[in-house]
Amino acid sequence: MRSAWIVLVSATACFGAAPMGWNSWNSFANIVNSQIVQQQARALVSTGMKEAGYEYVVIDEGWWLGKRDAAGNIVVDPKQWPAIQPGQKDGDMSNIAAYIHSLGLKAGIYTDAGRDGCSMYPDSGPKLLNTGSEGHYEQDFLQFSKWGFDYVKVDWCGGAKEGKSGAIQYAQIARAIQNAEKITGRKLYLSICEWGSQNPWYWGPGVGGVESTIWRTGGDIIPPVVETLHDAEHDKRSITAKNVLDSFDAGLHPEAQHTGYYNDLDMMVMGMRGMTDALDRTHLGLWALSSAPLMVGSDLTRLSQATVSLLTNKETIAINKDLYGLQPIKVDEPAPGIQIWVKPMAIAGRRAIGILNRNEAGAQVNINWERLGLKGTPRSIRDVWSGRNLNAADLAFSVPPKDLALMVVDGEDKSSEDYPAHQDMITGIQATRGPTFARLQYVNSSGHAVVVPVKSTSGFVTALNLPPTVEAETGAVGVILPHGTADLLFERQPVEIRKLEVYVW
Ligand code: GLA
């Protein structure tokens, strides 16, 4: 008989982890242009980041100055976005998309869900109006796709200004994207940037029927630090541990995150002004434990070798890309500010563990393995930063101030409580110990992914994207149930929900 794990891997391998790549905003704000993007795309390749999995090159705000022609088409500045190859026209965004593709990378672009964009003064240049897509959703998203873009970040400045509903606007956008995809045959990944103002973790999963998406959970990690501008405003900006930790804290909505749907903790700012090696490490480690998008906002041409090797650390990226794509659960806080975060992973008995020291003094920390839902001590403990195996017998971790120890352990899961599904319901669940890891078994023989809206009478709503299973075999996805979840009601879809295995830690 084939093992359930082999089936699981084949069922979900076609499925996207959160995106990885580069975004222009944090280091270039709206001075972004073709030259800068070409340079950064080349650096993504030469640093080895592309090979490590960073694939999207995203042009954020500043590429478009709010002008449309008589037919409503976006007019692009020919000087900012000239021809790159002979035969190309100035002012055509397909030039840069083709350049990015020529390096084996994917191209991303940016707009706003409202009429106006953010146009963040004083980030270089006058405040521009009408840089949003409202009234032009079908036209703009088709245009982005025709230009060759693979990813679109959709901001919310105009939407917020007009008092719109994010759930409604982004559903319309998701549908416009799906229509564009049908016409061009090119996947256009939706990145929702609504900063958590209207709880996008409730409506982001499956919005407008999308099979995969991310939604920002908070404001900007920092205002842009454009070092090349040398103006007083940018010169005084510097990143602190608080910026990084606040974005992590705001990003935790584990019940909303499942394969394909991810909370977006914001771009990463490794190596930028104010960042130290310890803070770089903490930043990447927390984002990886959260299965968050790994979009780097730094100037890639100025990264130190230490930052590059951190960003390309394979074991950290493997934690981020775990097939279940879950967020970590805080299982212990042995002293104020010393926290043990545990991420359940798709391989049975595997956990990624972060020991976060938020304090100004170093700490000695012992882990109580029982709190990780394992029987006894783990079989193996891998220290990710040093790349060494540790011995479970003599484990007291020493964590420097404002730093993060990161490990992957393999052991044996304590047994689960199993709840079979009756029609489209699972009832009588006992998730009474805090956020609870569970594995949902299902069969989806439709041959394609199916989006299943889920709710619970305990006030929990989400949607699950269930990848197709091989023939009639069982597939599984990981979920984290909020404390007190007692039942799950699945909207009827062409899939069979089998049972829920609940792991009470
Ligand atoms: C908002 C977003 C940022 C960036 C800027 C552009 O602040 O949250 O990530 O896109 O707009 O103005």
Side-chain angles (χ1 to χ4, degrees):
M1 201 180 89
R2 283 158 81 185
S3 102
W5 294 112
I6 295 173
V7 175
L8 159 77
V9 171
S10 59
T12 51
C14 55
F15 247 73
M20 295 172 69
W22 174 82
N23 176 296
S24 60
W25 183 250
N26 305 98
S27 295
F28 298 98
N30 41 21
I31 65 168
V32 65
N33 61 25
S34 176
Q35 281 271 312
I36 290 173
V37 176
Q38 289 176 56
Q39 225 176 36
Q40 297 295 317
R42 285 195 298 272
L44 207 56
V45 178
S46 63
T47 51
M49 288 176 67
K50 175 193 165 200
E51 195 169 337
Y54 296 85
E55 57 176 348
Y56 290 102
V57 174
V58 179
I59 304 166
D60 205 283
E61 190 181 46
W63 69 270
W64 176 43
L65 312 178
K67 295 248 165 14
R68 292 182 186 268
D69 66 16
N73 298 307
I74 291 172
V75 175
V76 177
D77 180 353
K79 293 212 187 66
Q80 209 183 352
W81 305 99
I84 302 173
Q85 296 287 327
Q88 293 181 338
K89 281 197 304 238
D90 292 342
D92 180 347
M93 293 305 281
S94 351
N95 304 341
I96 192 68
Y99 184 84
I100 294 169
H101 289 156
S102 75
L103 298 178
L105 297 163
K106 292 184 179 163
I109 196 155
Y110 165 97
T111 188
D112 197 283
R115 209 170 28 245
D116 293 333
C118 295
S119 196
M120 287 174 64
Y121 189 79
D123 279 306
S124 67
K127 198 165 177 63
L128 299 164
L129 299 176
N130 300 314
T131 54
S133 286
E134 192 187 326
H136 298 271
Y137 288 166
E138 297 289 328
Q139 182 175 20
D140 286 1
F141 293 100
L142 179 59
Q143 176 69 89
F144 299 152
S145 190
K146 281 188 169 163
W147 277 334
F149 287 96
D150 310 283
Y151 179 111
V152 61
K153 170 172 167 183
V154 185
D155 217 335
W156 188 239
C157 283
K161 197 155 107 184
E162 296 165 48
K164 297 271 192 193
S165 149
I168 293 175
Q169 298 308 119
Y170 284 99
Q172 286 175 10
I173 288 166
R175 287 192 283 267
I177 286 178
Q178 286 159 337
N179 291 339
E181 287 173 342
K182 277 188 208 125
I183 294 170
T184 63
R186 175 181 286 284
K187 168 105 189 100
L188 184 59
Y189 188 91
L190 171 62
S191 154
I192 298 171
C193 181
E194 182 270 0
W195 329 299
S197 63
Q198 295 177 18
N199 305 333
W201 39 89
Y202 292 140
W203 48 262
V207 68
V210 286
E211 290 179 6
S212 55
T213 186
I214 53 176
W215 56 88
R216 275 274 295 278
T217 48
D220 295 1
I221 189 164
I222 42 142
V225 183
V226 187
E227 304 215 12
T228 46
L229 277 179
H230 301 299
D231 67 20
E233 182 63 31
H234 286 87
D235 282 352
K236 67 179 187 222
R237 292 179 183 167
S238 179
I239 306 153
T240 63
K242 185 172 180 336
N243 295 130
V244 173
L245 295 175
D246 283 355
S247 291
F248 169 66
D249 293 336
L252 290 164
H253 302 281
E255 67 275 20
Q257 186 166 310
H258 334 277
T259 314
Y261 300 131
Y262 300 97
N263 291 286
D264 179 356
L265 278 49
D266 202 3
M267 279 86 81
M268 302 194 297
V269 291
M270 272 84 193
M272 290 179 59
R273 192 188 294 134
M275 295 295 285
T276 60
D277 286 350
L279 204 47
D280 274 355
R281 205 162 40 226
T282 304
H283 191 359
L284 182 66
L286 292 175
W287 267 234
L289 280 168
S290 309
S291 308
L294 302 183
M295 302 297 295
V296 182
S298 323
D299 176 348
L300 303 180
T301 63
R302 295 161 57 117
L303 294 180
S304 69
Q305 197 42 53
T307 306
V308 169
S309 32
L310 176 72
L311 282 167
T312 53
N313 181 307
K314 288 199 170 69
E315 295 182 28
T316 317
I317 292 172
I319 294 174
N320 185 72
K321 282 190 176 296
D322 176 68
L323 286 174
Y324 278 179
L326 298 175
Q327 288 197 318
I329 297 172
K330 188 175 81 176
V331 298
D332 206 359
E333 184 151 0
I338 310 295
Q339 302 178 333
I340 301 181
W341 290 90
V342 178
K343 169 176 175 163
M345 297 174 82
I347 303 279
R350 179 168 293 178
R351 316 269 189 268
I353 305 175
I355 310 178
L356 175 61
N357 181 356
R358 295 173 178 259
N359 300 339
E360 299 293 346
Q364 282 285 111
V365 184
N366 287 298
I367 295 185
N368 175 354
W369 302 111
E370 288 282 307
R371 305 294 285 269
L372 273 60
L374 296 176
K375 288 185 188 157
T377 48
R379 267 194 312 282
S380 74
I381 304 169
R382 179 79 172 171
D383 176 0
V384 172
W385 300 141
S386 72
R388 291 216 312 263
N389 295 325
L390 306 177
N391 183 347
D394 47 46
L395 274 188
F397 294 91
S398 148
V399 190
K402 305 262 187 252
D403 208 334
L404 176 87
L406 186 64
M407 279 154 289
V408 175
V409 306
D410 278 291
E412 197 184 333
D413 281 325
K414 286 188 196 158
S415 6
S416 59
E417 291 285 327
D418 293 356
Y419 300 90
H422 295 293
Q423 296 186 325
D424 300 317
M425 278 195 326
I426 297 178
T427 53
I429 303 166
Q430 301 271 323
T432 48
R433 291 274 295 272
T436 302
F437 168 50
R439 192 178 275 128
L440 182 78
Q441 306 241 4
Y442 68 95
V443 175
N444 170 8
S445 31
S446 69
H448 55 81
V450 174
V451 178
V452 183
V454 185
K455 63 181 180 191
S456 165
T457 52
S458 13
F460 160 55
V461 287
T462 191
L464 293 170
N465 185 346
L466 301 181
T469 48
V470 182
E471 290 150 20
E473 300 215 47
T474 310
V477 289
V479 291
I480 293 183
L481 304 173
H483 179 227
T485 302
D487 55 25
L488 295 176
L489 314 172
F490 300 86
E491 190 178 277
R492 177 141 311 166
Q493 294 292 336
V495 292
E496 188 197 327
I497 304 295
R498 285 261 165 97
K499 69 170 176 179
L500 188 73
E501 299 169 358
V502 176
Y503 293 85
V504 175
W505 294 0

